[in-house]
Amino acid sequence: MNAPLKSPPTPLKFDSATATVDQAAIAPFPNSRKVYAQGSRADLRVPMRAVSQSDTAASFGAEPNPPVYIYDTSGPYTDPEASIDIRSGLGTPRLPWILERGDTEQLAGPSSAYGQARLDDPALAALRFQLQRTPRRAVQGANVTQMHYARRGIVTPEMEYVAIRENLRRQDYLRDLEASGPMGKRSAQLLGRQHPGQSFGASIPDTITAEFVREEIARGRAIIPANINHPEVEPMIIGRNFLVKINANIGNSAVTSSIGEEVEKMTWAIRWGADNVMDLSTGKHIHETREWIIRNSPVPIGTVPIYQALEKVNGKAEDLTWEIFRDTLIEQAEQGVDYFTIHAGVLLRYVPMTASRLTGIVSRGGSIMAKWCLAHHKESFLYTHFEEICAIMKAYDVSFSLGDGLRPGSIYDANDEAQLAELKTLGELTQIAWKHDVQVMIEGPGHVPMQLIKENMDLQLDQCGEAPFYTLGPLTTDIAPGYDHITSGIGAAMIGWYGTAMLCYVTPKEHLGLPNKDDVKDGIITYKIAAHAADLAKGHPGAQIRDNALSKARFEFRWDDQFNLGLDPDKAREFHDETLPKDSAKVAHFCSMCGPHFCSMKITQEVRDYAATMNVSEQSALRQGMEVKAIEFVRQGGELYKKV
Amino acid sequence: MNAPLKSPPTPLKFDSATATVDQAAIAPFPNSRKVYAQGSRADLRVPMRAVSQSDTAASFGAEPNPPVYIYDTSGPYTDPEASIDIRSGLGTPRLPWILERGDTEQLAGPSSAYGQARLDDPALAALRFQLQRTPRRAVQGANVTQMHYARRGIVTPEMEYVAIRENLRRQDYLRDLEASGPMGKRSAQLLGRQHPGQSFGASIPDTITAEFVREEIARGRAIIPANINHPEVEPMIIGRNFLVKINANIGNSAVTSSIGEEVEKMTWAIRWGADNVMDLSTGKHIHETREWIIRNSPVPIGTVPIYQALEKVNGKAEDLTWEIFRDTLIEQAEQGVDYFTIHAGVLLRYVPMTASRLTGIVSRGGSIMAKWCLAHHKESFLYTHFEEICAIMKAYDVSFSLGDGLRPGSIYDANDEAQLAELKTLGELTQIAWKHDVQVMIEGPGHVPMQLIKENMDLQLDQCGEAPFYTLGPLTTDIAPGYDHITSGIGAAMIGWYGTAMLCYVTPKEHLGLPNKDDVKDGIITYKIAAHAADLAKGHPGAQIRDNALSKARFEFRWDDQFNLGLDPDKAREFHDETLPKDSAKVAHFCSMCGPHFCSMKITQEVRDYAATMNVSEQSALRQGMEVKAIEFVRQGGELYKKV
């Protein structure tokens, strides 16, 4: 059927008996400790990373600098107390919460035909993760989604967890600052200060409470992706009134990559800040690869089930059936996938709208469904069976990520009829999912020039009832293959500011090849920048603390603190060392840009010392002089104030 | 006086007798030819790069794809007909135009004391560029600025040159498309199409004429930086109604780098698209380094003369005098520097406003002047002698780049009192410069969160009479040392969209060290992306042609064309080859992301073929169905159309 493979696939180099964690994933971050913020119950401990700082040097005022708390997605891997063995997977902190609710049952084994068949296949022994437990499912008639609980007024441990997580111990940090010495109060005011945001209608409270989380989930404005079969997860929230999150895509293809590499990419991605990971594998052993990833992932895992369904029919889209797809959903839900991308908005009548596009349909899921629709001359089973899909989702609490199968693949195709028609349908499907209390987010483009980005956000908010928006970039130009993390990072920062809740990363390899670990890291860091820039612009409370702390370290020549507070301490240190490798340079009050003979930061300190010598009336004269007499006075050779 | 150097400086490894061009600067771009668009006179030939493409494969319609014309900053280095010897410098295409005007005279030698002293110093022989001509200056009473000519109604060859350059032979490209075959007209419509822009008040005509250029320069809304002593320059224009430009900073410091490296950085920077280069050297041999750079630079060169003046007083800011500064201006103007950054807006009364900042004064020029002001208790000589500086500028046509000495060095300090007070003064100085017909652009920040960027642009347009804005980034967060090309690329794209005319690049080494060639390239490509994204968003006529052509190549699996039309063909090819190194993969209709068994692009072609089989009434029924009957029809199992 298909063209022969031109390059042989990399052979699978994976053995479940000897698999080990990537050492890079468990290396400690410099000057950092894993700390846990305690919740209302003993088993509710929310991880954060505390970055210690050195004291300010005497010449700058000799102040202590308390640790800064950073949102930590890296899971137990960076906890020296945790014992890590990827063959047994992570601990299951959520399990007691799930069991307590008493609305689920443990199954005898996988209830999907495919899941059972894979389990029974002895040829897969060497690849298989040795899971010691069977799947859970809602008891007959129960709905186990976080949205369902929220709408019944129940604050779950998951909701409390994310509330604590979002606040990042900001109050503790400011209190530590206040207590840090004679200048403490001033420091707390200084370092806690931030610019008012422009939130475009988002309304982020000063402190996130569990009750606020519940309300947001109940009204569909936020989701906590947390399958009951993923008890390893450290809950996180996606919504416009919370910190902007990022997603990293991993996954093998028919051409390359192995299970071990994908687990490595996952642990690598969360180390650098991926809040979610999508496993987009399309090659062999998708089922086994996914099991290894989920069992070792403290972050929610998303998939596109149609990819695997397609493998099951040997790549022939027209052979797909609702039954095969349904079995795939159950198979993956019982493994613990936290959200499914489902391209149910690709309607038959939208497909011909793509014919006049420059780049047609670029979503894999979208084109699979388009092909199916055309081959059968009817609406896809994703659309016609949507309510049955909802029934599966609520039995495991799998969230929808309603896929944008008709997203534009080029600037030319941005915001076109096909894209916007599909978006409207996604809004209608959202209402159906919400009727079932199933959590929903909406996927968005793609390739969009800057002036058309806001329209995407505005239409999505309007048509999808403020369900969280989850966008791929968007790329703001097509002319930079090899740098699409940057072309899209620009669009991602902007759409995050406008209200997008989660940004799906793009790596430098986009359009060119599968990302390796370096590409994954470049993609993550770029998207952490975009998400944080968006948090600052929205005015997310406390977002500026890290910027302020880092800038203060920079100003005070605390080089190590500057590196350690950054998104990538390793790279910052490496760059600095390239020019000034000596340890002494790390405490030097100069850098290689200006050299030791002239330094603007040093001069600034002299200005500060000078200003401190002015008395109140001199300061007042200065102000008045500025506002009233202005330039004439100076031109006459006048001197505005004298040094005391 | 100063702290001893902790690391020894790299020894100068440069010998003027054996200096050679960097081979990387003269390598041809793949499938590209240097072409010249002929102007109204024989010696007016405007360079562009024509990127040839292969024909579309038969399965996609077998169309020819005419060459795309790309703005080319790389100068004669990429012209195989040009003979390059950096010891003799570039040719002097502008010289006849300057001579014809008859308003300049050739001097017997440098008229600055310092310039003459350097020429007379035998110890510098091994470093000195062997310039065979003496400087020119306006004859007594003449004003040789492009603004002066423009205001007198004169269209100079420089103005015609930039007009041709801005249009990028768009009409030729579209005409070639139309003539390319039976589908030519459709192709021209398709590939010439672009989204309407949001220009925020910029008004870019469909075709740039020389007369339009003249008008824009006359009213101060654009500048052509082109010193009469830089006849090697290929003129370019900076203004909000033209393509957004980028600047690359190079220059050695007291700690590192040599003359040869700086020339290499310059040729490397223009290869990748730097429209301007600033030589920010602060170490030894600034004068000689600059001479080598200018003589070999086809792009305008800017400097910050106060840096060199400071070296002349051994780094003691308080020892600076107007006389030393004046001699430095003349020295550099006679070498051919095209614009001077002058921090004349740092007024005495603004300095104490910076005392409460988190990061004080971070501009080197700003802090030098602040220190001088404090030491002398009076306004700086830059401010008090501003009209005398104008007199020098107009004798050589050096443009002002009015420096933002009080720009914010952190998110915390963005848009503060000190910054905005200085901006207002820069606006007042602009009016004084314009009184002398001296060209002006205004420098801008710095570190600014996204929601505060537009205020910078709006205030600048308002207070500086629409003089071109030239910003450093701005960086949209402080938390990513090692990635500040990206934190700032986001801000640069946005402020470029809002109206900034030139974006000063930031490299990954910002805050950490001096950039090497890799960093220079990363900075340039990031800023080319930002500038182009801004052009698209403003709706610059023809800006989308390159995106459209590249996306079409991508869709049609013309891998080489996709690489070659991109900003960095080398990187795109390298990334693709990492996964699929074979040559056969370059013509394969699949890529490593999905593998050969499934490809959304292939399916799209099937959709297209399918849509082509529908007749007019079926298409019409489809439209109506979508708009009127919508979902109900489909839910009833209806089929909207049948394949013929």
Side-chain angles (χ1 to χ4, degrees):
Chain A
M1 166 197 70
N2 288 296
L5 196 56
K6 295 288 189 341
S7 304
T10 310
L12 290 170
K13 318 168 291 264
F14 187 75
D15 180 349
S16 64
T18 57
T20 54
V21 69
D22 179 23
Q23 291 302 304
I26 57 172
F29 277 96
N31 276 22
S32 294
R33 295 170 293 127
K34 176 80 87 179
V35 296
Y36 293 91
Q38 184 65 51
S40 65
R41 42 188 289 167
D43 66 355
L44 204 161
R45 298 169 68 238
V46 182
M48 289 169 202
R49 177 152 67 94
V51 183
S52 302
Q53 303 187 77
S54 53
D55 295 344
T56 299
S59 58
F60 287 103
E63 315 172 303
N65 296 292
V68 174
Y69 299 99
I70 290 180
Y71 196 102
D72 186 357
T73 58
S74 64
Y77 297 98
T78 51
D79 183 348
E81 317 266 295
S83 77
I84 301 290
D85 180 349
I86 63 169
R87 293 170 306 176
S88 45
L90 297 177
T92 55
R94 275 186 73 219
L95 197 55
W97 312 342
I98 295 163
L99 297 180
E100 272 172 26
R101 290 194 275 259
D103 51 5
T104 58
E105 61 189 347
Q106 184 139 21
L107 304 175
S111 52
S112 67
Y114 190 84
Q116 193 57 54
R118 297 300 277 194
L119 195 58
D120 296 342
D121 185 347
L124 296 170
L127 292 179
R128 195 182 291 126
F129 181 88
Q130 297 301 321
L131 181 61
Q132 303 300 318
R133 61 176 190 266
T134 58
R136 303 193 72 79
R137 189 176 59 195
V139 296
Q140 187 68 32
N143 183 334
V144 299
T145 71
Q146 294 289 323
M147 188 182 215
H148 187 67
Y149 303 134
R151 286 179 163 183
R152 300 170 83 186
I154 299 167
V155 173
T156 62
E158 286 88 344
M159 296 174 201
E160 182 187 345
Y161 190 104
V162 301
I164 295 169
R165 198 168 193 182
E166 292 284 316
N167 292 324
L168 277 177
R169 300 188 76 171
R170 180 160 53 100
Q171 300 308 333
D172 295 348
Y173 168 75
L174 295 175
R175 198 192 47 228
D176 291 350
L177 263 180
E178 285 204 28
S180 69
M183 294 294 284
K185 205 160 197 111
R186 185 188 150 274
S187 289
Q189 278 164 1
L190 190 77
L191 294 172
R193 206 200 85 164
Q194 73 182 49
H195 298 285
Q198 152 67 292
S199 70
F200 298 106
S203 45
I204 309 157
D206 200 46
T207 299
I208 304 287
T209 62
E211 172 56 22
F212 178 74
V213 169
R214 189 198 63 73
E215 286 165 17
E216 290 289 294
I217 292 174
R219 79 183 298 305
R221 199 151 57 186
I223 68 171
I224 295 180
N227 185 324
I228 56 169
N229 288 307
H230 193 187
E232 299 89 351
V233 97
E234 295 176 347
M236 54 76 66
I237 191 161
I238 301 168
R240 67 191 288 228
N241 290 325
F242 301 93
L243 291 163
V244 176
K245 305 302 189 299
I246 71 162
N247 174 74
N249 291 336
I250 61 169
N252 58 4
S253 81
V255 179
T256 184
S257 203
S258 85
I259 292 178
E261 283 174 49
E262 297 313 314
V263 174
E264 251 188 59
K265 278 185 204 164
M266 182 275 290
T267 55
W268 186 240
I270 62 174
R271 176 177 180 80
W272 296 110
D275 295 287
N276 276 199
V277 167
M278 286 194 82
D279 172 16
L280 301 185
S281 294
T282 57
K284 296 288 167 212
H285 309 301
I286 299 183
H287 179 88
E288 289 69 31
T289 302
R290 183 188 313 121
E291 189 76 33
W292 277 93
I293 291 172
I294 296 174
R295 297 289 74 80
N296 286 290
S297 174
V299 305
I301 299 294
T303 62
V304 188
I306 203 78
Y307 290 178
Q308 188 184 7
L310 188 71
E311 299 280 341
K312 293 177 182 176
V313 294
N314 300 313
K316 292 184 85 158
E318 56 275 32
D319 289 355
L320 284 164
T321 63
W322 161 242
E323 289 68 30
I324 290 169
F325 187 72
R326 181 179 175 281
D327 195 68
T328 306
L329 291 184
I330 293 170
E331 169 205 345
Q332 297 198 9
E334 293 187 354
Q335 287 186 297
V337 173
D338 300 289
Y339 58 92
F340 288 151
T341 292
I342 296 196
H343 300 91
V346 179
L347 300 193
L348 183 56
R349 63 185 178 281
Y350 302 158
V351 174
M353 292 176 188
T354 65
S356 61
R357 282 182 158 184
L358 186 60
T359 50
I361 301 176
V362 295
S363 152
R364 278 189 284 183
S367 57
I368 293 167
M369 296 324 297
K371 184 162 185 179
W372 192 94
C373 288
L374 293 184
H376 296 273
H377 301 158
K378 59 184 183 188
E379 294 303 354
S380 82
F381 49 83
L382 302 181
Y383 186 75
T384 56
H385 290 265
F386 193 74
E387 302 225 23
E388 288 163 83
I389 297 174
C390 291
I392 297 170
M393 307 299 258
K394 66 187 173 188
Y396 304 95
D397 198 7
V398 183
S399 300
F400 274 113
S401 183
L402 290 177
D404 56 337
L406 303 181
R407 70 167 176 268
S410 56
I411 291 293
Y412 184 94
D413 293 335
N415 295 25
D416 75 349
E417 185 185 26
Q419 182 199 334
L420 300 183
E422 182 190 33
L423 179 64
K424 199 148 174 264
T425 299
L426 297 185
E428 292 159 1
L429 295 169
T430 300
Q431 294 301 330
I432 297 173
W434 283 352
K435 201 179 68 186
H436 292 269
D437 293 352
V438 172
Q439 304 190 95
V440 179
M441 60 182 168
I442 309 289
E443 296 186 8
H447 293 239
V448 186
M450 285 192 285
Q451 82 277 24
L452 300 185
I453 291 176
K454 190 144 189 305
E455 182 185 31
N456 277 274
M457 190 70 234
D458 293 344
L459 287 173
Q460 192 274 342
L461 287 172
D462 179 51
Q463 299 184 348
C464 301
E466 294 188 79
F469 204 22
Y470 166 34
T471 61
L472 179 75
L475 287 72
T476 53
T477 166
D478 301 337
I479 69 166
Y483 299 83
D484 279 329
H485 58 314
I486 299 176
T487 64
S488 68
I490 294 166
M494 292 174 69
I495 205 161
W497 173 25
Y498 299 152
T500 289
M502 185 157 74
L503 308 170
C504 179
Y505 87 170
V506 171
T507 77
K509 286 275 171 62
E510 184 74 12
H511 299 119
L512 300 169
L514 275 181
N516 61 25
K517 277 173 69 181
D518 285 344
D519 301 319
V520 166
K521 182 175 169 186
D522 280 344
I524 301 266
I525 301 285
T526 302
Y527 274 67
K528 293 304 273 188
I529 289 169
H532 185 73
D535 288 334
L536 289 176
K538 286 165 74 176
H540 196 98
Q544 205 180 303
I545 284 176
R546 190 171 177 182
D547 297 75
N548 293 347
L550 191 146
S551 288
K552 183 169 187 277
R554 180 174 282 156
F555 182 73
E556 293 172 357
F557 293 101
R558 288 183 281 117
W559 288 102
D560 280 321
D561 293 347
Q562 185 193 155
F563 304 153
N564 297 341
L565 287 167
L567 289 175
D568 183 356
D570 302 349
K571 172 87 83 177
R573 184 170 285 102
E574 175 196 323
F575 277 179
H576 179 266
D577 288 359
E578 245 178 62
T579 329
L580 292 175
K582 297 217 176 134
D583 276 351
S584 60
K586 300 287 194 316
V587 292
H589 284 188
F590 67 91
C591 66
S592 64
M593 287 81 83
C594 300
H597 295 286
F598 180 76
C599 171
S600 63
M601 295 266 185
K602 267 166 78 176
I603 290 180
T604 300
Q605 190 55 36
E606 294 173 21
V607 170
R608 201 173 275 192
D609 295 344
Y610 174 83
T613 65
M614 291 169 66
N615 64 32
V616 175
S617 65
E618 284 168 331
Q619 285 177 7
S620 156
L622 174 76
R623 297 279 147 176
Q624 291 204 323
M626 181 194 63
E627 283 164 30
V628 187
K629 304 194 211 142
I631 291 172
E632 296 69 21
F633 183 79
V634 175
R635 283 207 183 132
Q636 290 155 18
E639 290 183 17
L640 222 38
Y641 56 92
K642 296 242 181 250
K643 188 162 177 179
V644 277
Chain B
M1 166 195 71
N2 289 295
L5 197 55
K6 294 289 187 340
S7 306
T10 310
L12 289 170
K13 317 167 292 262
F14 187 76
D15 180 349
S16 65
T18 58
T20 54
V21 70
D22 178 23
Q23 289 303 303
I26 57 171
F29 278 96
N31 276 22
S32 295
R33 293 170 295 130
K34 176 81 88 179
V35 295
Y36 294 91
Q38 183 66 50
S40 65
R41 42 189 289 170
D43 66 355
L44 204 162
R45 298 167 70 236
V46 182
M48 289 166 202
R49 176 151 69 94
V51 183
S52 302
Q53 303 187 76
S54 53
D55 294 345
T56 299
S59 60
F60 288 104
E63 312 171 306
N65 296 291
V68 174
Y69 299 99
I70 290 179
Y71 196 103
D72 186 357
T73 58
S74 63
Y77 297 97
T78 51
D79 184 348
E81 317 266 294
S83 75
I84 301 291
D85 181 348
I86 62 169
R87 294 170 305 176
S88 44
L90 297 177
T92 54
R94 274 186 73 219
L95 196 55
W97 312 342
I98 295 162
L99 297 180
E100 272 172 25
R101 290 194 276 259
D103 50 7
T104 58
E105 61 188 348
Q106 185 140 22
L107 305 175
S111 52
S112 68
Y114 191 84
Q116 193 58 54
R118 296 301 277 193
L119 194 58
D120 295 343
D121 185 347
L124 297 170
L127 292 180
R128 193 181 294 125
F129 181 88
Q130 297 302 319
L131 181 61
Q132 303 301 315
R133 61 175 190 267
T134 57
R136 302 193 73 80
R137 188 175 62 195
V139 295
Q140 187 69 34
N143 182 333
V144 299
T145 71
Q146 293 290 323
M147 187 180 214
H148 187 67
Y149 303 135
R151 287 180 161 183
R152 298 170 84 186
I154 299 167
V155 173
T156 62
E158 286 88 345
M159 296 173 200
E160 182 187 345
Y161 190 103
V162 301
I164 295 170
R165 198 168 192 182
E166 292 284 316
N167 292 323
L168 276 176
R169 300 188 75 171
R170 180 161 51 101
Q171 300 309 332
D172 295 349
Y173 168 76
L174 295 174
R175 198 192 49 228
D176 292 350
L177 263 181
E178 285 206 28
S180 69
M183 294 293 284
K185 204 160 199 114
R186 184 188 150 274
S187 291
Q189 280 163 1
L190 190 79
L191 294 171
R193 208 200 83 165
Q194 74 182 46
H195 298 284
Q198 153 66 293
S199 70
F200 298 106
S203 46
I204 310 158
D206 201 49
T207 299
I208 304 285
T209 62
E211 172 57 20
F212 178 75
V213 169
R214 187 197 64 73
E215 286 164 17
E216 291 288 296
I217 292 172
R219 80 183 295 307
R221 199 150 59 187
I223 68 171
I224 296 179
N227 185 324
I228 55 168
N229 287 307
H230 193 187
E232 298 88 352
V233 96
E234 294 176 348
M236 53 78 65
I237 191 161
I238 301 168
R240 68 190 287 227
N241 290 325
F242 301 93
L243 292 163
V244 176
K245 305 303 189 299
I246 72 162
N247 174 73
N249 291 336
I250 61 170
N252 58 3
S253 81
V255 179
T256 183
S257 203
S258 85
I259 293 177
E261 283 173 51
E262 297 312 314
V263 174
E264 251 187 60
K265 279 187 205 162
M266 182 275 291
T267 56
W268 186 239
I270 63 173
R271 176 177 180 80
W272 296 111
D275 295 290
N276 275 198
V277 167
M278 286 194 81
D279 172 15
L280 302 185
S281 294
T282 57
K284 296 286 165 213
H285 309 301
I286 299 181
H287 179 88
E288 289 69 30
T289 302
R290 182 187 313 121
E291 188 76 31
W292 278 94
I293 291 172
I294 296 174
R295 298 289 73 82
N296 286 289
S297 174
V299 305
I301 298 295
T303 62
V304 188
I306 203 79
Y307 291 178
Q308 187 184 7
L310 188 72
E311 299 281 340
K312 293 177 181 176
V313 294
N314 299 313
K316 293 184 85 157
E318 56 273 34
D319 290 354
L320 284 164
T321 63
W322 161 243
E323 289 68 29
I324 289 169
F325 187 72
R326 181 180 176 281
D327 195 68
T328 305
L329 292 183
I330 294 169
E331 170 204 345
Q332 297 198 9
E334 293 187 353
Q335 287 187 296
V337 173
D338 300 288
Y339 57 93
F340 289 151
T341 293
I342 296 194
H343 299 91
V346 180
L347 299 193
L348 184 55
R349 62 186 179 278
Y350 301 158
V351 174
M353 292 177 188
T354 65
S356 60
R357 282 183 159 184
L358 186 59
T359 49
I361 301 176
V362 295
S363 152
R364 278 188 285 182
S367 57
I368 294 167
M369 295 325 297
K371 183 159 185 180
W372 192 94
C373 287
L374 293 184
H376 296 273
H377 301 156
K378 59 184 183 187
E379 294 301 355
S380 81
F381 48 82
L382 302 181
Y383 186 75
T384 56
H385 290 266
F386 193 74
E387 302 225 23
E388 288 163 83
I389 298 175
C390 291
I392 297 170
M393 306 298 256
K394 65 187 174 188
Y396 303 95
D397 198 6
V398 182
S399 300
F400 273 113
S401 183
L402 290 175
D404 55 338
L406 303 181
R407 68 168 177 268
S410 57
I411 292 294
Y412 185 95
D413 293 335
N415 295 24
D416 76 349
E417 185 185 24
Q419 183 198 334
L420 300 183
E422 182 191 33
L423 180 63
K424 198 146 175 267
T425 300
L426 298 185
E428 291 159 2
L429 294 169
T430 300
Q431 294 300 329
I432 296 172
W434 283 353
K435 201 179 66 185
H436 291 270
D437 293 351
V438 173
Q439 304 189 95
V440 179
M441 59 182 170
I442 308 290
E443 295 187 8
H447 293 238
V448 185
M450 284 192 287
Q451 83 277 25
L452 300 185
I453 291 176
K454 190 145 189 306
E455 182 185 30
N456 277 276
M457 190 71 235
D458 293 344
L459 287 173
Q460 191 274 342
L461 286 172
D462 179 51
Q463 298 184 349
C464 301
E466 295 188 80
F469 204 22
Y470 166 34
T471 61
L472 179 75
L475 286 72
T476 54
T477 168
D478 301 337
I479 69 166
Y483 299 84
D484 279 329
H485 59 313
I486 300 176
T487 64
S488 68
I490 294 166
M494 292 173 69
I495 207 162
W497 175 22
Y498 299 153
T500 290
M502 185 157 73
L503 307 170
C504 179
Y505 87 171
V506 171
T507 78
K509 287 275 171 62
E510 184 75 13
H511 299 118
L512 299 169
L514 275 182
N516 61 24
K517 276 173 71 181
D518 285 344
D519 302 318
V520 166
K521 183 175 168 187
D522 281 344
I524 300 266
I525 301 284
T526 303
Y527 274 68
K528 292 303 272 189
I529 290 169
H532 186 71
D535 288 334
L536 289 176
K538 287 165 74 177
H540 196 99
Q544 205 180 305
I545 284 176
R546 190 171 177 182
D547 296 77
N548 293 347
L550 191 146
S551 289
K552 183 168 187 278
R554 180 174 282 157
F555 182 72
E556 294 172 357
F557 294 101
R558 288 184 279 118
W559 289 101
D560 280 320
D561 292 347
Q562 185 192 154
F563 306 153
N564 297 341
L565 287 167
L567 288 175
D568 183 356
D570 301 349
K571 172 87 83 177
R573 185 170 284 103
E574 175 196 322
F575 278 178
H576 180 266
D577 288 359
E578 246 178 60
T579 330
L580 292 174
K582 297 218 175 132
D583 274 351
S584 60
K586 302 285 195 318
V587 293
H589 285 188
F590 66 90
C591 66
S592 64
M593 286 81 84
C594 302
H597 295 286
F598 181 77
C599 171
S600 64
M601 296 266 185
K602 266 165 79 177
I603 290 180
T604 300
Q605 190 56 36
E606 294 173 21
V607 170
R608 201 172 275 192
D609 295 344
Y610 175 83
T613 65
M614 291 168 66
N615 65 33
V616 174
S617 66
E618 284 168 332
Q619 285 177 8
S620 158
L622 174 78
R623 294 282 144 172
Q624 289 204 324
M626 179 193 65
E627 284 165 29
V628 187
K629 304 194 210 144
I631 292 173
E632 295 71 20
F633 184 79
V634 175
R635 283 205 184 137
Q636 290 154 19
E639 292 183 13
L640 221 40
Y641 57 90
K642 298 242 181 249
K643 190 163 177 181
V644 277

